[in-house]
Amino acid sequence: EVQLVESGGGLVKPGGSLRLSCAASGFTFSSAWMSWVRQAPGKGLEWVGRIKSKTDGGTTDYAAPVKDRFTISRDDSKNTLSLQMNSLKTEDTAVYYCTSGFVWGQGTLVTVSS
Amino acid sequence: DIVMTQTPLSLSVTPGQPASISCKSSQSLLHSDGKTYLYWYLQKPGQPPQLLIYEVSNRFSGVPDRFGGSGSGTDFTLKISRVEAEDVGVYYCMQSIQLPITFGQGTRLEIK
């Protein structure tokens, strides 16, 4: 079964850090371009960033609101995608999904509040 | 950034009747490789988004054939030939021809 499972969400204070993980199974993770997409409470979908497959360069791209604060990485040996979030702001509060575009995880909630 | 504009923003449909959602992009989504990078997702209540249609008109695995996508350039449409109760949720179009990847605002479909 093709599956993505996120973990690592929680409550963090403004200015704090959090690391999300996404475990992939059932497909060739190493070949996939992977993205993080977030959804603030009651709002629409917002793309956060993407990492290409290593064969396509393994480069990363980010949305303007998170650039220089968030870092996406991948470990193809463990079929895992990560999102390191630093200098968190209240407006980063959202459910964070990892996705290949074709498959989405269930999401993990990040709440930034004092 | 490419702006994706969906209409209508909400839709109330009687089961068995058709439904149609429009998505217009601020720039052409036709790539030089010949593909058009327009996708449709459905987010059912309490669930993550699920892919319905990729590259304008290709149904994803397991998607019922009552869902159909069409369009070109900057104008796209998702049609449901006969709405069923399980189709409720929010429909999003998305473009990936240019970064940042952007989504439409979403169209909420409810059953009458």
Side-chain angles (χ1 to χ4, degrees):
Chain A
E1 180 191 7
V2 177
Q3 197 171 14
L4 294 169
V5 179
E6 301 94 337
S7 60
L11 175 63
V12 61
K13 288 182 168 52
S17 298
L18 208 57
R19 187 177 182 87
L20 306 184
S21 293
C22 171
S25 59
F27 66 102
T28 308
F29 177 76
S30 60
S31 301
W33 293 22
M34 298 296 297
S35 286
W36 287 95
V37 174
R38 67 185 180 183
Q39 186 170 37
K43 302 297 184 183
L45 301 171
E46 179 186 23
W47 178 77
V48 171
R50 174 188 75 186
I51 186 166
K52 295 181 179 179
S53 64
K54 284 201 166 44
T55 55
D56 290 315
T59 56
T60 52
D61 297 282
Y62 300 94
V66 308
K67 193 172 168 56
D68 299 325
R69 299 189 298 124
F70 289 13
T71 301
I72 297 173
S73 59
R74 65 189 302 155
D75 184 341
D76 291 343
S77 69
K78 296 180 179 177
N79 286 352
T80 300
L81 178 73
S82 297
L83 177 65
Q84 177 66 43
M85 303 185 292
N86 298 330
S87 304
L88 282 161
K89 305 176 181 180
T90 56
E91 53 263 41
D92 294 320
T93 294
V95 174
Y96 285 74
Y97 298 102
C98 68
T99 177
S100 66
F102 293 91
V103 183
W104 292 61
Q106 287 295 316
T108 187
L109 176 62
V110 172
T111 303
V112 185
S113 174
S114 54
Chain B
D1 298 3
I2 294 178
V3 177
M4 306 295 286
T5 303
Q6 290 182 228
T7 54
L9 296 184
S10 66
L11 207 46
S12 183
V13 183
T14 300
Q17 293 300 302
S20 180
I21 301 170
S22 170
C23 176
K24 296 184 189 298
S25 57
S26 59
Q27 299 176 37
S28 175
L29 304 185
L30 174 62
H31 194 275
S32 56
D33 65 7
K35 296 180 181 179
T36 300
Y37 290 91
L38 185 281
Y39 301 77
W40 289 99
Y41 292 92
L42 165 59
Q43 187 173 29
K44 296 183 178 182
Q47 294 186 22
Q50 59 189 79
L51 178 64
L52 296 176
I53 303 286
Y54 64 96
E55 295 168 17
V56 180
S57 59
N58 299 287
R59 272 189 303 278
F60 187 52
S61 174
V63 175
D65 61 8
R66 65 178 181 275
F67 290 93
S70 63
S72 63
T74 61
D75 286 353
F76 305 94
T77 302
L78 176 70
K79 291 184 178 175
I80 310 173
S81 58
R82 296 172 305 279
V83 170
E84 297 188 4
E86 66 181 24
D87 300 335
V88 297
V90 181
Y91 291 78
Y92 295 94
C93 60
M94 183 201 83
Q95 68 79 23
S96 64
I97 192 174
Q98 180 187 106
L99 296 181
I101 291 171
T102 50
F103 294 87
Q105 321 95 299
T107 295
R108 185 173 300 276
L109 185 147
E110 65 171 32
I111 300 296
K112 279 184 183 175

